[in-house]
């Protein structure tokens, strides 16, 4: 009875935002059945800023390997496992009831995922079902109810207080360190939901590449309209190989058909923050800068000295890329 | 051919404008700034009009929530080929608090009222960058969702959607009614011609209040402040490739 009273009092304190003790967070894991997607580790780090009670949901058709992987991640206390054919393709119509059932059982104060195509597709659906307003792509956690996110293509920072009983948000991976993949020993628990059957996953066509994944690469070499053709992107691939870099692109290069859409860096493409970003033949439109201006060092190679990209570049080279890039690749061979 | 499509359109600051944060940190300056239809909404309208031109749907209804000026955005959609408009009038404090949760409640209520078989929205608004409204509308209606669509094919009572995902593309098939959100690559929106702009003036825009749709606009989000992002230090120009490489090596980046 007395303990109950104490719990109630502390619950009130925690709701007032003065304590983080009673926060419990569910991180929805993104994976390919074989492997955990790296940005889930960044989401776990964000969750740990809210308190120690971090659970991770792994749903899929055959996810034993991923469950093992997640249970060793430092800071994960519990792994909720949901294995069923209905979770093929991780459709939001099927995952939402599963998350709602988990929420009903465990009463999380926070539900989050990485701000990838997966997280952006799923979490707003969950939030609407809980009748709460979600927060997209947060870059900072000020307190359990106060978050920072960018608006207007990264040209303003908005600090938002969420007064909903459950906070649902997606995490910008580049703003939080990845959680260590060792040192954890989470317990496992099964969760279930009934298949909904209003949508069907048909297939995926993934762009194959041996290069590092764009959003987590340490070095990114990006090309724009200045490359003039898809064939000329080979110049960038050669340079990227010397630097063990991922290759990105501006919208202009994607729209012109030089490279596939999933290489697009920007407000509506991927957000990257590598140690080194080399922008080649990219003018630097607001929408492109939104996706790369948090890179530690930015290099611009452009023949137009007035290109806006030079305003954010740490090192700018005004030169013809068709000469400068092969020269650079050659110099790095030595 | 009985299907009706609802298209959501949002009026936002034009994509080419360099925005300014208000000195009192309450938001960004919108007065006297050029506004246009959100680029992703233009793509949604274009897709709906194309479906109508292929005679796969009967009627395209353009909806916008906001103050009086939202009607200009609806007129643009009408000039692109939408049949009629619905302006959900929201102003003052309610408009300041209007977010994806409130808009999705409005859209869900309208979808039921208008017997809609498809809702097409943009994948995100370029002002709040939320990327939530389509997903939330689908949830409230318990309809399937085809987000970030780069191709939409109607197949009887189903719709096949090719989606842009992180590693490439993904194909899903949804039972209609459904919600689709448009990615950049779905199509190239047409320009409204002068005759069509003139014709659009005769098309009907119904004005409704959220209350008439049974939607409560209460918001539990509070924007505490809006700030300028940190500015990057001015960089330097280098003369040659060798100099560039040596600078990067010195900085420990290579």
């Amino acid at each position: 009875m007395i303990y109950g009273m104490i719990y109630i009092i502390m619950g009130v304190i925690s709701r007032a935002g003065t304590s983080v003790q009673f926060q419990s967070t569910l991180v929805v894991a993104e994976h390919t059945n074989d492997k955990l997607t790296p940005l889930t580790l960044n989401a776990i780090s964000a969750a740990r800023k809210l308190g120690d009670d971090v659970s991770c949901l792994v749903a899929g058709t055959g996810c034993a390997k991923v469950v093992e992987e997640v249970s060793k991640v430092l800071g994960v206390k519990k792994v909720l496992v949901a294995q069923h054919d209905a979770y093929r393709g991780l459709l939001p119509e099927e995952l939402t009831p599963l998350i709602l059932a988990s929420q009903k059982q465990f009463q999380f104060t926070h539900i989050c995922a990485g701000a990838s195509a997966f997280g952006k597709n799923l979490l707003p659906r969950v939030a609407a079902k809980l009748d709460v307003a979600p927060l997209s792509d947060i870059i900072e956690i000020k307190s359990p109810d106060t978050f920072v996110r960018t608006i207007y293509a990264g040209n303003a920072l908005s600090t938002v207080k969420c007064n909903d009983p459950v906070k649902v948000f997606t995490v910008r991976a580049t703003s939080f360190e990845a959680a260590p993949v060792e040192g954890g020993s989470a317990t496992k628990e099964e969760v279930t939901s009934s298949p909904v059957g209003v949508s069907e996953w048909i297939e995926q066509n993934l762009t194959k590449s041996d290069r590092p994944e764009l959003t987590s690469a340490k070095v990114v070499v990006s090309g724009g309209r200045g490359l003039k053709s898809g064939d000329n992107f080979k110049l960038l691939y050669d340079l990227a190989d010397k630097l063990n870099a991922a290759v990105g692109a501006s919208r202009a290069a994607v729209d012109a058909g030089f490279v596939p859409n999933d290489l697009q860096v920007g407000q509506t493409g991927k957000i990257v923050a590598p140690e080194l970003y080399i922008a080649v033949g990219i003018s630097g439109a607001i929408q492109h800068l939104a996706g790369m201006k948090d890179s530690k060092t930015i290099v611009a190679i452009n023949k137009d000295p007035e290109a806006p990209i030079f305003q954010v570049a740490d090192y700018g080279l005004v030169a013809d890329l068709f000469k400068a890039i092969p020269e650079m690749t050659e110099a790095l061979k030595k | 051919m009985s299907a009706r499509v609802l298209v959501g359109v949002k009026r936002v600051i034009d994509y080419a404008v360099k925005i300014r944060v208000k000195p009192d940190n309450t938001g960004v300056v919108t007065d006297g700034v050029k506004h246009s239809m959100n680029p992703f909404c233009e793509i949604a309208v274009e897709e709906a009009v194309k479906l109508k031109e292929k005679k796969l749907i009967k009627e395209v209804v353009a909806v916008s929530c906001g103050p009086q000026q939202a009607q200009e955005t609806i007129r643009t959609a009408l000039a692109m080929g939408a049949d009629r408009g619905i302006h959900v009038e929201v102003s003052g404090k309610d408009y300041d608090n209007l977010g994806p949760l409130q808009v999705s409640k409005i859209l869900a209520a309208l979808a039921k009222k208008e017997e809609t078989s498809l809702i097409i929205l943009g994948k995100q608004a370029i002002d709040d960058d939320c990327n939530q409204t389509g997903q939330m509308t689908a949830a409230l209606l318990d309809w399937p969702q085809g987000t970030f669509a780069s191709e939409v094919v109607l197949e009887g009572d189903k719709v096949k959607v090719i989606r842009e995902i992180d590693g490439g593309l993904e194909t899903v098939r949804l039972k209609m009614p459904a919600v689709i959100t448009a990615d950049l690559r779905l199509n190239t929106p047409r320009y409204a011609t002068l005759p069509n702009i003139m014709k659009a003036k005769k098309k009907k825009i119904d004005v409704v209040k959220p209350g008439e749709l049974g939607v409560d606009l209460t918001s539990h989000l509070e924007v505490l402040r809006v700030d300028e992002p940190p500015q990057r230090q001015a960089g330097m120009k280098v003369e040659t490739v060798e100099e560039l490489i040596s600078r990067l090596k010195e900085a420990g980046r290579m």
Side-chain angles (χ1 to χ4, degrees), chain A residues 7-334:
Chain A
Y7 269 100
I8 291 165
I9 292 163
M10 292 192 71
V12 169
I13 292 170
S14 115
R15 233 170 292 155
T18 50
S19 160
V20 292
Q21 281 171 303
F22 284 75
Q23 313 301 329
S24 64
T25 305
L26 177 68
V27 180
V28 185
E30 180 175 355
H31 65 91
T32 58
N33 273 325
D34 291 332
K35 228 184 140 11
L36 187 69
T37 306
L39 90 169
T40 304
L41 298 170
N42 307 89
I44 290 170
S45 284
R48 288 193 69 198
K49 290 193 188 297
L50 294 160
D52 287 337
D53 193 356
V54 175
S55 300
C56 203
L57 172 69
V58 180
T61 51
C63 41
K65 262 171 85 179
V66 177
V67 169
E68 278 316 305
E69 210 182 329
V70 172
S71 62
K72 294 195 185 97
V73 174
L74 189 67
V76 178
K77 278 242 170 98
K78 186 161 47 192
V79 184
L80 305 182
V81 185
Q83 191 151 310
H84 195 288
D85 283 345
Y87 305 132
R88 179 182 306 283
L90 301 176
L91 294 164
E93 294 81 3
E94 303 294 344
L95 291 187
T96 301
L98 177 65
I99 296 169
L100 296 175
S102 309
Q103 171 61 16
K104 205 171 170 190
Q105 189 179 348
F106 298 103
Q107 301 284 320
F108 300 105
T109 55
H110 296 75
I111 301 175
C112 73
S116 59
F118 167 79
K120 289 173 183 174
N121 191 31
L122 175 62
L123 285 208
R125 190 173 178 105
V126 172
K129 280 291 176 193
L130 294 168
D131 193 24
V132 302
L135 291 161
S136 296
D137 216 358
I138 60 144
I139 61 167
E140 193 185 334
I141 296 173
K142 295 247 183 209
S143 75
D145 61 6
T146 305
F147 304 86
V148 183
R149 57 182 304 271
T150 65
I151 53 175
Y152 289 94
N155 288 299
L157 303 177
S158 176
T159 305
V160 190
K161 184 161 180 275
C162 176
N163 297 313
D164 277 316
V166 187
K167 280 77 171 163
V168 177
F169 59 95
T170 57
V171 175
R172 181 171 296 183
T174 54
S175 300
F176 297 87
E177 294 292 313
V181 293
E182 278 169 5
S185 58
T187 58
K188 289 166 211 150
E189 195 160 336
E190 276 188 41
V191 284
T192 52
S193 64
S194 309
V196 178
V198 290
S199 55
E200 183 192 352
W201 181 86
I202 312 281
E203 63 174 351
Q204 274 185 359
N205 289 302
L206 302 183
T207 309
K208 288 193 180 68
S209 166
D210 299 330
R211 293 190 185 82
E213 197 267 322
L214 185 55
T215 52
S216 52
K218 286 203 163 64
V219 182
V220 174
V221 179
S222 273
R225 201 195 306 270
L227 267 293
K228 293 201 173 97
S229 79
D231 291 340
N232 290 336
F233 255 76
K234 186 170 184 310
L235 296 174
L236 298 194
Y237 294 138
D238 291 344
L239 175 62
D241 289 343
K242 285 280 155 289
L243 295 165
N244 190 29
V247 172
S250 69
R251 182 186 166 188
V254 172
D255 282 352
F258 300 171
V259 289
N261 308 344
D262 53 293
L263 296 194
Q264 187 180 327
V265 171
Q267 180 183 21
T268 64
K270 298 212 167 68
I271 310 276
V272 301
E275 287 178 14
L276 175 60
Y277 188 90
I278 305 180
V280 182
I282 291 176
S283 63
I286 297 171
Q287 291 77 13
H288 184 74
L289 300 182
M292 46 64 80
K293 69 180 179 184
D294 291 328
S295 304
K296 296 215 173 65
T297 299
I298 298 174
V299 169
I301 300 175
N302 202 304
K303 65 180 177 192
D304 173 12
E306 303 300 319
I309 191 79
F310 287 118
Q311 289 163 23
V312 299
D314 300 284
Y315 303 104
L317 176 64
V318 181
D320 179 359
L321 72 93
F322 293 103
K323 275 175 67 182
I325 299 301
E327 220 180 293
M328 209 165 154
T329 307
E330 203 53 42
L332 289 169
K333 277 181 188 165
K334 288 172 201 162

Side-chain angles (χ1 to χ4, degrees), chain B residues 111-170:
Chain B
K112 282 185 196 154
K113 191 176 156 213
E114 297 284 340
E115 293 169 9
T116 304
S117 20
L118 207 55
I119 300 177
I120 309 182
L121 307 175
K123 80 161 177 180
Q124 78 190 62
I126 60 163
D127 51 1
D128 62 28
D129 281 335
C130 278
N131 194 335
Q132 298 170 348
T133 306
Q135 295 88 313
M136 297 179 84
T137 307
L140 296 173
L141 291 162
D142 276 318
W143 292 1
Q145 65 193 50
T147 53
F148 327 145
S150 62
E151 198 181 326
V152 173
V153 184
L154 294 192
E155 300 175 333
D157 61 349
K158 292 192 175 155
V159 55
K160 187 176 90 174
V161 181
I162 298 182
R163 306 180 53 234
E164 296 201 8
I165 57 169
D166 292 333
L169 296 170
E170 172 178 277

